Amino acid sequence: MATRKKVLLKVIILGDSGVGKTSLMNQYVNSKFSSQYKATIGADFLTKEVMVEDRLVTMQIWDTAGQERFQSLGVAFYRGADCCVLVFDVNLPKTFENLDSWRDEFLIQAGPRDPDNFPFVVLGNKIDLEDQRRISTKRAMTWCTLKGNIPYFETSAKENVEVEQAFHTIAKNALKQENDVDLGFPPPSAIKLHDPPPKQKKGCC
Amino acid sequence: MDALVQTVEDVAGASGGESENEGDGEDEDVRDGGDGGGVAAGGNEEAEEETGMEIEYDVYDVSNEAIAARRRKHAHEEATSPGWTQHDKHVFILSSAGKPIYARYGDESRLSGFFGVLQAMISFVDDNDDELQHLVAGDVTYVFYSNGPLYYVCVARTREPASHLRMLLQYVHNLVVSVLTAPYIVRLFEQRPHFDLRRMLGGTEPLIDSLIELMDSDPSYLLGAAECLRLAASVRAAVGSALQEVKISGLLYALVIADSHLVTLVRPKSRGLHPIDLLLIMNFVKASPTLRNEAADSWTPFCLPHFNDTGHLHVYSSFLASGVCLLLISTEAESFHDMQACKDRVATEITAGGHLAAITDAMASQAYSVDELGIPGLLHFLYKSVSSRQYTAPAWSAPYITGGEQRRLLRVYQDVIEKVHTVANDVKIYYQVSQSETLLAWVTSSFELYVVFGPLVPKKLAIASCNKLLRWIKSQEGTLFILNSPVW
């Protein structure tokens, strides 16, 4: 543990099932893509170390189940997240429309101290299927601007488009939040002998 | 839960592998409740003829250097490293957000995925208003303990009962509290659930390593009692009064320890020092990197969780001779120089009286062997004085020469102590014969005695020998125990 410059960031990926959360993560962490769909049950966890502005940052990535029937981890899951990544499929309007409820759900469950400035990042995935596209860049950008200038990336986990850049921004923004180190209250003080009744037990000797 | 199960199996899956030569676990027994004879928590375990591990050990080395070397050796391991799943006893600390805080083996950052799995397991059960206590996968036992925003997990293939591994985790929690205090930990995470506690615990790692290690080798933790230096009663009394004389404002406890043995302790009349607090202090003296250089005096904020877990006291420590440490525990943060002055007075007085020399002599020769007692067939014993929470035990001797044999015997003790303290049993005398030894436990309201004989000693002889042993202890009482702890 020693005095370290190491930082660990908890990053949560949310979005409808099938939008490519696991694929994005696998592309980013393992540089692998599989077109076979396998539903995430509960959650997957991956670790990735990156350098952000001279700091070694470990990203603890929580890839959640998009399917409702597997969302059994509840509040504990979102607790203490440093960044939340919202993913939709640019070819499926429903997945875009649901971003609102994912974002709300996250803010309710995680209850961050400053919800207006909590770092989100939005990823519009599967841009490789260009001819099927239903959500324009403009529409997505408008939503992101409205929600407090959330950074927006259009990605393809399959062809590794913008994945690296997106996660770099995720790390950078989360780090900004984490950096705000001021604890706001002092470490514990000394005991005033006569104040607190000591939990006296039978002593030694 | 695919991923969860997957990862759990990864760890468990390596079962049946050879364990390497290192600390496999042992017991501890936080006799927490205090009054009425501490009750060992947890379920009873089946009789264990299996305590004999199939592992060969070398002589067990719990020196700081050995621990540090081992940490360096395993520091870069991650979940996929071949050796990582093979360790006998993993200990993890994580926040309730699933962020890693401490891992006994490996780089906790790189294990962050595994920590996530642990958090998911705990919170999955927690969501149903239930508590995950332990689970068994193959020959691996997972034990969980949560306290406020902190989760503690032990993953062991040592076949120890879950209740004992849980005690270990409670000891570790006490250590964390001794650094940060309980309310501070709660507040930190209330205000920022994402907090990375490694930042606040920086430098504490060697203390946690050492504590876990000691629990595998030191009966103190098993008994929840301290061992005194065997020393002439007159010397002990003289040191005690030297300490008593330096009483100044804010000074709560003054003690001298010699290589993790208590020489003497002065305390306020109404406030004993809880043995767990004392063991935390001893671990601190043994393992703190800042005290390694015995030449320096140190001044450390220290919370004694059983004294008061809401604030820090201040511990002044100074070595009077090699291995002999004077500790002055004060409520006043500014009194370092006053404490130094106290130390000078104590040092002068006990040096001039020849008492310091007597202590160092005793350290060299204190350990008595079972042979000294002249009781046929006696191999080892633990005697605990219940009211004073002190114990005595002979030096290890054949057949308990290797660390592995010692640990095996400690585990036999652990098992028997568990049995006699299980409320349902409430036995006074317990007799057990195995291939390697005969053990007789005798528990009364004033003492607990656990005696180990060779396997061929008949019950009648064992009982007669216990009586003889008690007479010997009685005759040596003044040198083995602090009988009248000085107060102020």
Side-chain angles (χ1 to χ4, degrees), chain B residues 174-361:
Chain B
N174 275 312
L175 174 53
V176 172
V177 170
S178 78
V179 179
L180 296 174
T181 75
Y184 189 65
I185 297 168
V186 171
R187 277 180 69 191
L188 270 179
F189 283 98
E190 262 171 16
Q191 299 199 0
R192 46 194 80 212
H194 69 163
F195 193 74
D196 190 342
L197 197 66
R198 294 179 299 178
R199 227 158 49 192
M200 302 299 291
L201 282 177
T204 310
E205 224 166 17
L207 298 185
I208 305 175
D209 290 346
S210 160
L211 186 72
I212 297 168
E213 204 87 21
L214 281 173
M215 286 183 188
D216 271 351
S217 60
D218 184 341
S220 307
Y221 296 88
L222 177 60
L223 296 167
E227 190 176 15
C228 296
L229 182 73
R230 191 185 186 193
L231 186 68
S234 57
V235 176
R236 205 188 302 283
V239 176
S241 48
L243 293 178
Q244 235 173 339
E245 278 166 27
V246 298
K247 170 66 180 157
I248 58 164
S249 155
L251 184 58
L252 265 183
Y253 298 107
L255 53 155
V256 175
I257 59 174
D259 284 343
S260 297
H261 290 69
L262 195 55
V263 174
T264 193
L265 162 71
V266 188
R267 59 177 175 86
K269 195 168 183 187
S270 58
R271 288 184 180 173
L273 182 58
H274 193 284
I276 290 174
D277 289 345
L278 178 58
L279 291 173
L280 288 173
I281 294 169
M282 287 191 175
N283 178 59
F284 166 73
V285 172
K286 179 172 164 37
S288 167
T290 54
L291 296 192
R292 201 163 292 164
N293 173 10
E294 293 191 352
D297 293 2
S298 88
W299 184 240
T300 314
F302 202 105
C303 169
L304 298 177
H306 290 80
F307 173 77
N308 182 333
D309 67 3
T310 67
H312 280 130
L313 297 169
H314 298 269
V315 177
Y316 170 85
S317 50
S318 176
F319 282 87
L320 305 176
S322 177
V324 183
C325 187
L326 169 70
L327 294 147
L328 302 171
I329 303 176
S330 169
T331 55
E332 288 173 17
E334 308 297 324
S335 55
F336 175 76
H337 294 293
D338 297 340
M339 294 302 155
Q340 245 176 348
C342 290
K343 183 215 66 179
D344 291 340
R345 285 172 56 195
V346 171
T348 309
E349 176 146 357
I350 68 173
T351 306
H355 308 310
L356 189 56
I359 292 171
T360 46
D361 287 351

Side-chain angles (χ1 to χ4, degrees), chain A residues 1 4 8 10 41 43-44 47 60 73 76 79-80 82 113 178 180-182 185 193 196 199 204-205, chain B residues 1 3 96-99 101 108 112-113 119 123 127 187 191-192 194 199 205 267 271 273 306 308 388:
Chain A
M1 266 172 306
R4 63 180 66 223
L8 188 128
K10 175 173 175 177
I41 304 173
D44 284 341
T47 304
Q60 182 190 38
L73 293 164
R79 190 189 292 137
D82 294 291
R113 276 194 309 159
E178 154 81 28
D180 132 54
V181 219
D182 179 21
F185 58 92
L193 237 204
K199 295 192 297 182
C204 170
C205 324
Chain B
M1 285 292 152
S96 56
K99 287 198 176 187
I101 296 169
E108 77 283 339
S112 77
Q119 195 267 4
S123 49
D127 269 2
R187 277 180 69 191
Q191 299 199 0
R192 46 194 80 212
H194 69 163
R199 227 158 49 192
E205 224 166 17
R267 59 177 175 86
R271 288 184 180 173
L273 182 58
H306 290 80
N308 182 333
S388 71

Side-chain angles (χ1 to χ4, degrees), chain B residues 21-26 57-63 66 70 104 212-218 401-404 406-407:
Chain B
N21 275 4
E22 46 90 13
D24 70 333
E26 198 16 292
Y57 295 92
D58 291 328
V59 172
Y60 196 52
D61 189 351
V62 286
S63 65
R70 184 185 318 166
R104 187 184 188 196
I212 297 168
E213 204 87 21
L214 281 173
M215 286 183 188
D216 271 351
S217 60
D218 184 341
I401 300 298
T402 64
Q406 293 167 10
R407 223 165 13 248

Side-chain angles (χ1 to χ4, degrees), chain A residues 27-111:
Chain A
Q27 179 60 262
Y28 178 58
V29 176
N30 303 320
S31 305
K32 276 185 199 146
F33 178 80
S34 158
S35 56
Q36 223 169 14
Y37 175 63
K38 198 173 126 267
T40 303
I41 304 173
D44 284 341
F45 302 88
L46 272 101
T47 304
K48 170 102 173 171
E49 287 184 341
V50 281
M51 290 300 292
V52 181
E53 290 156 7
D54 297 337
R55 296 183 77 180
L56 179 66
V57 174
T58 305
M59 295 172 78
Q60 182 190 38
I61 307 174
W62 299 51
D63 171 26
T64 62
Q67 294 182 24
E68 263 173 42
R69 64 192 173 99
F70 294 135
Q71 286 168 28
S72 49
L73 293 164
V75 58
F77 211 81
Y78 301 114
R79 190 189 292 137
D82 294 291
C83 181
C84 176
V85 183
L86 302 170
V87 187
F88 72 98
D89 179 346
V90 295
N91 311 297
L92 292 171
K94 186 79 191 141
T95 65
F96 175 70
E97 285 147 25
N98 281 343
L99 287 188
D100 263 315
S101 53
W102 283 114
R103 182 174 169 276
D104 292 348
E105 159 94 356
F106 175 83
L107 289 175
I108 291 165
Q109 298 269 22

